[in-house]
Amino acid sequence: YISTTLELDGGIKDGKPAKAYGEAVTVKVTKGDYYGWEYQTEGANEYSFQIRLMSPVYEGSIAVLNGERVIVSANDFVNGANITEKDVEGRDYAGNNLYIFPDAVDKADDDKNVWKNQQIWNVEPSVDKDHYIESAKMTNATDDGKGNITKGVINIKGRSLSNNTDIDLPVTITDAWGYKLDVTIPVTVKVGE
């Protein structure tokens, strides 16, 4: 038995991958006598495969769950409209739900956003480039004291609008290693709804 340790530096620069991130590494295994244990004589004498160091979060995306845009009413937008897990979900590179809304409570600091998915470090919405949104905040999960957790939401507030308006809500998802995925949630503010 021969053991070799391979160290890869995934590197991060300004939340973006650097160095060995995403690079294919080829591992080759050959038949032989390893301290008295021998591979079977049948089959190939050599086998190789590739591995890559990648973040499922950084390689992910955002998906709107009903239609192409999240619809919020203009009245709710002025008072504070909530975007929830019923509206959007983060998806990893394989299309699995990342569960981007806080879904756990830190007993020591109940104002801290916490995720059961340990790959998620933070999810932070911000104002749009056209400044229709005046504030965007991810709320924390809450516990009713009986163990029932209410998940956090993205709350957006903006100025009064007189026409239906499409807004791209910027969101940064940071994984446990520090890689940052910048995405936008397409939102339509509807007047008269």
Side-chain angles (χ1 to χ4, degrees), residues 21-35:
Y21 181 93
E23 294 293 324
V25 175
T26 301
V27 177
K28 185 166 52 171
V29 180
T30 57
K31 285 185 178 181
D33 182 354
Y34 295 108
Y35 301 98

Side-chain angles (χ1 to χ4, degrees), residues 83-114:
I83 297 172
T84 72
E85 65 177 339
K86 293 178 181 174
D87 300 311
V88 295
E89 69 181 19
R91 292 187 177 160
D92 67 13
Y93 53 66
N96 301 309
N97 190 344
L98 287 171
Y99 303 99
I100 62 169
F101 294 95
D103 55 0
V105 174
D106 184 335
K107 301 289 184 190
D109 183 0
D110 59 2
D111 284 332
K112 180 180 176 184
N113 287 333
V114 181

Side-chain angles (χ1 to χ4, degrees), residues 39-106:
Y39 280 100
Q40 297 297 318
T41 55
E42 299 88 31
N45 290 328
E46 183 178 292
Y47 177 74
S48 65
F49 58 93
Q50 290 187 329
I51 59 172
R52 289 180 197 272
L53 176 65
M54 297 174 73
S55 162
V57 174
Y58 183 77
E59 300 298 328
S61 62
I62 286 283
V64 176
L65 299 178
N66 297 304
E68 295 181 10
R69 307 185 71 80
V70 176
I71 308 297
V72 299
S73 79
N75 285 338
D76 288 346
F77 185 60
V78 170
N79 295 314
N82 289 335
I83 297 172
T84 72
E85 65 177 339
K86 293 178 181 174
D87 300 311
V88 295
E89 69 181 19
R91 292 187 177 160
D92 67 13
Y93 53 66
N96 301 309
N97 190 344
L98 287 171
Y99 303 99
I100 62 169
F101 294 95
D103 55 0
V105 174
D106 184 335

Side-chain angles (χ1 to χ4, degrees), residues 106-161:
D106 184 335
K107 301 289 184 190
D109 183 0
D110 59 2
D111 284 332
K112 180 180 176 184
N113 287 333
V114 181
W115 289 264
K116 288 180 190 172
N117 180 351
Q118 294 184 355
Q119 296 177 77
I120 302 283
W121 177 254
N122 194 24
V123 179
E124 187 173 354
S126 58
V127 299
D128 61 305
K129 63 182 170 79
D130 297 318
H131 298 284
Y132 290 114
I133 300 170
E134 294 172 345
S135 73
K137 180 183 177 188
M138 178 68 82
T139 67
N140 57 324
T142 57
D143 186 338
D144 68 358
K146 299 176 184 173
N148 299 312
I149 304 292
T150 300
K151 293 183 180 180
V153 300
I154 296 173
N155 183 271
I156 57 173
K157 291 181 184 178
R159 55 189 158 105
S160 180
L161 300 171

